[in-house]
Structures are given as C-alpha cells and as structure tokens.
Amino acid sequence: MSAWDPDVYLKFGGERTRAAADLLARVPLSAPKHIVDLGCGPGNSTALIASRYPNADILGVDSDEAMLAKARAEHVQARFEPGDFETWTPHQAPDLIYTNAALHWAADPLAVAARLFQSLAPGGALALQVPQNFDKPSHVAMRAAAQDGPWAEKLRDAFQPLMLGAQDYAGALAPLGAKLDVWSTAYLHILEGEDAVLKWISGSALRPYFARLRGNERTGFEADLAARLRRAYPPEIDGRTYFPFHRVFAIASKGA
Amino acid sequence: MSAWDPDVYLKFGGERTRAAADLLARVPLSAPKHIVDLGCGPGNSTALIASRYPNADILGVDSDEAMLAKARAEHVQARFEPGDFETWTPHQAPDLIYTNAALHWAADPLAVAARLFQSLAPGGALALQVPQNFDKPSHVAMRAAAQDGPWAEKLRDAFQPLMLGAQDYAGALAPLGAKLDVWSTAYLHILEGEDAVLKWISGSALRPYFARLRGNERTGFEADLAARLRRAYPPEIDGRTYFPFHRVFAIASKGA
C-alpha cells in the first residue's frame, strides 16, 4: 500500500466525502458504543461518524502517520492509532466497523471483510465502501499507458487490481450469516479545467505508478496518459468533463 | 404508457421506496412551498415527501386513476389529480418537481425533463430518478424472448426503450443553467424463491409485453423468458438470487 498525499487527496474532499456520508447514512445502528474507522485517512470520515454518533467511543486506524497527524490536528472526537488493516484486530469487539475507500488496497479484500465481520460484537455491523473502476475507461487508459512505453518494465507490477464487485462482497459475507445491504454507485463528477480526470486520479489510483518513475519517465508517462484520458473523456461544449466514478458499498449486520 | 397493477408494484414497495428516499435525501431545499410529485403512483413517494416537508403544499399527479385512488386512500397530506406528465404543466411555478421512476415512460424523457426544469420557480429544483436496465441481462433476455417465438410480431413494438444514462440527463440540463447532482446506483436486490427476477420485473418492465399476449402465448413467452433469466441470474448456493437493479438520479437546481 503506497502512502497518500493528504493535500492532493483533500483537494477533492467535498466530493469524496459524499461516499463516506452515503455509507454512514445506511448504517442500521442507532447508538453503537464502540466504533472503529479503519483506514481513516485524514479523519474526514471519522468526523462524519462523530457527528452522527457523538456519544460513541471512536477509534481511527490508519497505516500512514502523515494521515494520522492530519486527523489528530482536526480535533475530531476520536482516538487515532497506527495500524495496517490487513492485520489489525480490535482490542474489544466493536459495534461498528466502518471502512471507507481503504479495503481495496488489501491483497485479499474479501478475506479482510470476512475477518472484520467476525470480530464484531453481537448486533454489530460492518460498513465498507471501495472504489471499483478497474474495468472503466480511466483504468483501462492507465494500464495501457503503463504497458506502452519505455517505463513498461518498471510499471509491470505497479498495481494488480482485483476485479471485485458488489456481488463478490455479498457472496463473501452472506455465508457468515450477515444481513446484507449492498449497492454500487457511479457518481457523475462534473470536472472543470484541462486534464481534469488525470488530476482526479493523480491523488489516488495513479500513486503506485508515479512512485516508480522519476524525471523524464514520469513526465512521459503522464503526458501519454493525459492524451488517452482526453480521448476517453472528451470535454463537453462548455469545457466541463463528465467523469463517472464507481464505488461499491456493503453493510453487513450481525444477529444480536 | 401501460397501466400499473398497484398490488404487484407494492409487493416490492419496501425495496422500491429506497430509491425514492435516496432521491429525496439529496434535494438541496430546506422548505419548498409548492411541490409536485409527478408520476406519483400509489403515493409511496408522496408520503415520503410529506414526511420530509410537512408544511409544504404537495400535489401528486398520475395518469392512472387506480393509482390515484390508492394514493388518496392512504391519507397522505397531499392533493392528487390526474395528469399525463408528457403534457402536464404546473398551475403555478413549483419550488420542487419530484419525479420518481416515471420519466422513462415518456417518448422523450430529456425534453420533458428540460421543460419541467424551466417551469420551476426561481431557486427551485427538479429531482428525477429513472430505472436504467435496458442494456442489462434482464432486459436483454426480455428482448430476446420477445423476438424468438410465435409471439414475435405482437411484441415487435411493445416497448422501444431509449438508452439514456446519467450523462444524457446531465447534458440535457446543464445548458439550461442547472446546478447538477447526478449519479447512478445499482441496488443489489437479494431475492428469495424461484424465478425471482421474473417476478420482480413482472410488475414493471414486463407489463407492456404481457398486455399484448393472451392464453398460451403469454404462458409460452413467460416460460421462455423464465429459462433465460435463470441462466442470466443463476441462484447462489443458498438459493437466493442476486439481482442488480440500475437507476439514474439527477437533481437540477435553478438559480434564485
């Protein structure tokens, strides 16, 4: 898992927080006591959780210290501790494990989801959201640009995406007895300016690629990708670009 | 537009009301005075609107008298009047026009959406939701079954679906100066029992097909389609069937 750049990430915070809010809105718990925000990043989602559940004990967990420092600086009513969600286990059984835009970085997201569900207290819920754009034009362009240049060798294993959709998460959690609420949403982002899609994905999906390139190679890769993205997402007459961004949501509730 | 069967439709009311609620939740108005629920059906959505805006004057409009009778019997805090949304125009400029799962029956949904937006009061909003499954396996199976039997001639023009997605609605409303919030969602319905997908679509998308067939022809068409749907949506080991149902949402706000 590569480190996030909090400033690039937060540049689009408003729109990205929409998914966090949509996920939280469907959590069917009125007063969970112990909540974990797993992969809490800079604490945006943790602040949302605290606003819905002001009396809960909330623990934010992230593997990135820069993110945790940012989260602590926001004075959210929560504790924060470092941890890698691939291996992290709760100190006590949580009533709610909330994990927004994080699980897809795991080598085996379904196994992590199953393990998290099983760690819940009776009556608890796991709420997860992951982006799912691997088969969409943005990611097709990313992979094509990566393969089609002198940087191909360096980018060969930059990111091996798992093609997991809504039904995969449902199929992993249903056999554990979870009551499920599963959906996927494509938010139509209406972006301003040139190369808007490139800028959007620079803070997230592109980071493992950028991390492997320096100088001219990075510039060349970026220019090649920019051209592909302009073709895949041609701007409207008014100069704005429509960019559907796909996300999978699953809420798995445990019997009391 | 063929008439709905309120009982079949309401059989799945709980799950169908989810989309109505999701649409309403994003309406960025705190206290609209005049609200129209266009294509209000049996009043489920009207009741939702009344619960969010208890002080508003709400008018439910539908072309189907059986639906309006059902709506009136529910004692929702609203008035109801017959009207066809293809031609219906407001008596006074509404602050909110809400139209849930109706506009897709129009011959030209984009033209209707544009006209409705223009009829809004300053500062008003148009909130629309339409199913969008025309290219999905359920509808592919429907069209294949319709073409592939002795009933083909009768079903030839049963329903000519327009392939309109999120970007089409955005593209129709943006030039009118609308501030847009557009997304599409696939709700993963987890259905119980045999031929669950067939039962699901019998109350809605299949009605124009059923309306053209009698006796053995209808039975034959239904059996042929049932077999196709079982192949397209094989049940899970636990006997349940995953059925993603796709919907497009658009909220278009007018400057004050």
Side-chain angles (χ1 to χ4, degrees):
Chain A
M1 176 171 178
S2 89
W4 291 95
D5 176 344
D7 288 324
V8 172
Y9 187 79
L10 286 175
K11 186 177 170 195
F12 296 99
E15 280 183 315
R16 287 197 196 263
T17 305
R18 163 82 183 271
D22 283 355
L23 177 64
L24 186 62
R26 296 293 302 176
V27 171
L29 303 175
S30 52
K33 279 184 191 166
H34 298 288
I35 303 178
V36 176
D37 184 6
L38 201 51
C40 63
N44 307 25
S45 52
T46 325
L48 269 172
I49 295 169
S51 70
R52 178 167 172 195
Y53 300 120
N55 300 316
D57 164 60
I58 306 176
L59 174 65
V61 176
D62 204 279
S63 60
D64 189 307
E65 285 291 352
M67 284 289 180
L68 289 175
K70 201 117 184 164
R72 288 192 187 101
E74 297 290 329
H75 302 293
V76 179
Q77 288 295 315
R79 295 171 295 124
F80 293 94
E81 69 173 41
D84 181 336
F85 56 73
E86 298 229 38
T87 52
W88 182 87
T89 50
H91 316 294
Q92 63 183 135
D95 302 302
L96 170 61
I97 300 177
Y98 176 101
T99 177
N100 184 65
L103 216 55
H104 58 297
W105 295 104
D108 187 348
L110 300 183
V112 177
R115 182 172 59 71
L116 292 174
F117 178 78
Q118 287 170 314
S119 78
L120 288 169
L126 167 67
L128 70 88
Q129 184 269 115
V130 291
Q132 207 286 66
N133 295 283
F134 303 128
D135 54 346
K136 303 303 181 298
S138 56
H139 283 50
V140 171
M142 243 164 58
R143 289 192 295 271
Q147 285 161 16
D148 205 15
W151 44 76
E153 193 52 45
K154 283 181 189 160
L155 297 182
R156 188 177 300 280
D157 58 355
F159 190 37
Q160 297 295 336
L162 289 164
M163 298 287 293
L164 296 175
Q167 305 201 25
D168 299 302
Y169 286 93
L173 292 163
L176 306 178
K179 182 166 175 266
L180 292 173
D181 180 4
V182 178
W183 70 101
S184 52
T185 289
Y187 298 103
L188 188 67
H189 294 303
I190 303 177
L191 305 178
E192 310 271 352
E194 288 185 10
D195 294 329
V197 174
L198 179 71
K199 285 171 194 155
W200 175 277
I201 63 177
S202 289
S204 52
L206 270 180
R207 290 193 59 82
Y209 294 83
F210 284 166
R212 282 171 171 73
L213 302 177
R214 295 281 174 279
N216 283 348
E217 269 189 346
R218 169 159 167 170
T219 315
F221 169 68
E222 199 169 346
D224 182 290
L225 178 56
R228 290 175 198 269
L229 291 171
R230 282 192 291 266
R231 285 194 296 276
Y233 302 90
E236 299 292 299
I237 287 170
D238 61 10
R240 293 188 287 192
T241 304
Y242 293 155
F243 178 49
F245 195 92
H246 299 254
R247 298 177 182 276
V248 170
F249 300 76
I251 294 175
S253 301
K254 202 168 190 170
Chain B
M1 175 171 178
S2 87
W4 292 95
D5 176 344
D7 287 326
V8 173
Y9 187 81
L10 285 176
K11 186 177 170 195
F12 297 99
E15 279 182 316
R16 287 197 196 263
T17 305
R18 163 82 183 272
D22 283 354
L23 177 64
L24 186 63
R26 296 293 302 175
V27 171
L29 303 175
S30 53
K33 279 184 192 166
H34 299 288
I35 302 178
V36 176
D37 183 6
L38 202 50
C40 63
N44 306 26
S45 52
T46 325
L48 269 172
I49 296 169
S51 70
R52 178 167 172 196
Y53 300 119
N55 300 316
D57 164 60
I58 306 176
L59 174 65
V61 177
D62 204 280
S63 60
D64 189 307
E65 285 290 351
M67 284 289 180
L68 289 175
K70 200 116 184 164
R72 288 192 188 102
E74 296 291 329
H75 302 293
V76 179
Q77 288 295 316
R79 295 172 295 124
F80 293 94
E81 70 172 40
D84 181 336
F85 56 73
E86 298 230 37
T87 52
W88 182 87
T89 50
H91 317 293
Q92 64 183 131
D95 301 303
L96 170 61
I97 300 177
Y98 175 100
T99 177
N100 184 65
L103 216 54
H104 58 296
W105 295 104
D108 187 349
L110 300 184
V112 177
R115 182 173 60 72
L116 292 174
F117 178 78
Q118 288 171 314
S119 78
L120 289 169
L126 167 68
L128 70 88
Q129 184 270 113
V130 291
Q132 207 285 65
N133 295 283
F134 303 128
D135 54 345
K136 302 305 181 299
S138 55
H139 284 50
V140 170
M142 242 163 58
R143 290 192 295 270
Q147 286 161 16
D148 206 14
W151 44 76
E153 192 54 43
K154 284 182 189 159
L155 297 182
R156 189 177 300 280
D157 59 354
F159 190 36
Q160 297 294 337
L162 290 164
M163 299 287 294
L164 297 174
Q167 305 200 23
D168 299 301
Y169 286 93
L173 292 163
L176 306 177
K179 180 165 176 266
L180 292 174
D181 180 5
V182 179
W183 71 101
S184 53
T185 289
Y187 298 104
L188 187 68
H189 294 302
I190 302 177
L191 305 179
E192 310 270 354
E194 286 184 12
D195 294 329
V197 174
L198 179 71
K199 285 171 196 155
W200 175 276
I201 63 177
S202 289
S204 51
L206 270 180
R207 289 194 60 82
Y209 294 84
F210 284 167
R212 281 171 173 72
L213 301 176
R214 294 281 174 280
N216 283 348
E217 269 190 343
R218 170 160 165 168
T219 316
F221 169 69
E222 200 169 345
D224 182 291
L225 178 56
R228 290 175 198 267
L229 291 171
R230 282 193 291 267
R231 285 194 296 275
Y233 303 90
E236 300 290 301
I237 288 172
D238 61 9
R240 293 188 286 193
T241 304
Y242 293 155
F243 178 48
F245 195 92
H246 298 254
R247 298 177 180 277
V248 170
F249 300 76
I251 295 175
S253 301
K254 202 169 190 168

